[in-house]
Amino acid sequence: MAGKPKLHYTKGRGKMESIRWLLAAAGVEFEEEFIETKEDLEKLRNDGVLLFQQVPMVEMDGMKMVQTRAILSYIAAKYNLYGKDLKERAWIDMYVEGTTDLMGMIMYLPFQPADTKEKNLALIIERATTRYFPVYEKALKDHGQDYLVGNKLSWADVHLLEAILMVEECKADVLSAFPLLQAFKGRISNIPTIKKFLQPGSQRKPPTDEKFVAVVRKIFNM
């Protein structure tokens, strides 16, 4: 039996968090090797295991995979979370790209200057409630299923739940105008593998705080 996937990243969410989510949803146990210093990152670079000198990097199935999107696509396809045909895959990709854009705004918020944070936080809420969430609300209504694509769990569902919870950390009642998304959140959160990942003590990482921002700036010379 192959060993567990090994995730190389800092001890925070960042671009690795969606990979943790997807593996957890698939019921795959994984190990993590944390990059805690500039030297840790330099060692990986010097060892030649980072194709483009960047993390995240995941050791899996004999590969040292980099580039977040490539890693996620591989996991989704391997664990049957990527639709049944090309059309379903295209829809999953579109939905995932949308949630990726929204999550990217939140991911970079803690790294922004204090004087712009409030304005950017307001923009996140505005985009979530007028550009992104209405799309998913309508998709669930039109599709009439428990899931976004087909009638089974896919990468798109896992990604959307992660995005919803991230936005709720910015504004707790953000789903108040989206009843189908509220129900979706409840359903997907109760899938056993995901429910386990949402429990305290799992490998899910906490929201990024100032202390972690300082660590990341130091490691990556930001």
Side-chain angles (χ1 to χ4, degrees):
M1 185 182 146
K4 295 175 185 174
K6 186 185 276 189
L7 281 49
H8 296 263
Y9 201 66
T10 54
K11 205 172 186 173
R13 286 185 183 176
K15 292 189 172 185
M16 187 64 92
E17 192 70 357
S18 292
I19 296 166
R20 296 183 186 110
W21 264 88
L22 200 56
L23 286 169
V28 179
E29 290 186 8
F30 56 88
E31 297 171 351
E32 299 193 79
E33 194 159 301
F34 294 117
I35 297 166
E36 300 187 75
T37 63
K38 201 184 292 186
E39 289 70 33
D40 292 341
L41 180 62
E42 280 310 309
K43 185 181 184 313
L44 283 175
R45 285 174 172 163
N46 293 335
D47 288 348
V49 297
L50 302 179
L51 197 60
F52 301 108
Q53 309 291 311
Q54 294 171 310
V55 288
M57 189 269 278
V58 174
E59 292 186 66
M60 188 174 179
D61 296 343
M63 295 186 288
K64 290 180 169 66
M65 288 192 284
V66 295
Q67 298 299 91
T68 313
R69 171 82 205 197
I71 297 165
L72 286 164
S73 300
Y74 181 85
I75 294 165
K78 176 168 176 155
Y79 294 105
N80 205 18
L81 294 166
Y82 213 173
K84 69 178 190 304
D85 55 32
L86 272 175
K87 281 189 177 176
E88 284 196 357
R89 187 167 288 198
W91 277 106
I92 289 167
D93 283 339
M94 285 191 278
Y95 290 144
V96 164
E97 289 294 321
T99 38
T100 299
D101 290 346
L102 179 58
M103 289 196 285
M105 293 172 74
I106 300 170
M107 202 185 299
Y108 294 114
L109 188 66
F111 294 89
Q112 290 166 353
D115 58 343
T116 64
K117 269 187 193 166
E118 206 167 307
K119 188 179 82 177
N120 287 319
L121 181 60
L123 181 64
I124 287 164
I125 304 305
E126 190 260 327
R127 286 277 167 84
T129 53
T130 64
R131 180 178 294 187
Y132 296 105
F133 288 170
V135 169
Y136 301 109
E137 183 81 3
K138 185 177 186 299
L140 290 165
K141 183 173 185 285
D142 293 349
H143 187 45
Q145 300 284 352
D146 285 349
Y147 307 104
L148 283 170
V149 180
N151 57 0
K152 67 191 285 281
L153 183 72
S154 78
W155 172 21
D157 301 305
V158 179
H159 220 240
L160 176 55
L161 178 62
E162 183 188 359
I164 286 170
L165 297 181
M166 283 176 77
V167 181
E168 285 185 334
E169 287 168 353
C170 299
K171 189 177 190 291
D173 66 347
V174 75
L175 288 186
S176 58
F178 304 100
L180 296 180
L181 281 179
Q182 289 174 41
F184 171 89
K185 176 191 159 191
R187 278 196 307 276
I188 307 301
S189 297
N190 275 302
I191 291 168
T193 51
I194 294 175
K195 191 173 185 178
K196 186 180 173 189
F197 187 63
L198 291 172
Q199 299 300 314
S202 81
Q203 286 163 295
R204 186 181 179 215
K205 301 298 179 269
T208 300
D209 59 16
E210 283 180 22
K211 189 177 167 190
F212 182 66
V213 167
V215 170
V216 170
R217 286 192 191 284
K218 206 168 175 182
I219 293 170
F220 296 97
N221 282 332
M222 289 165 73

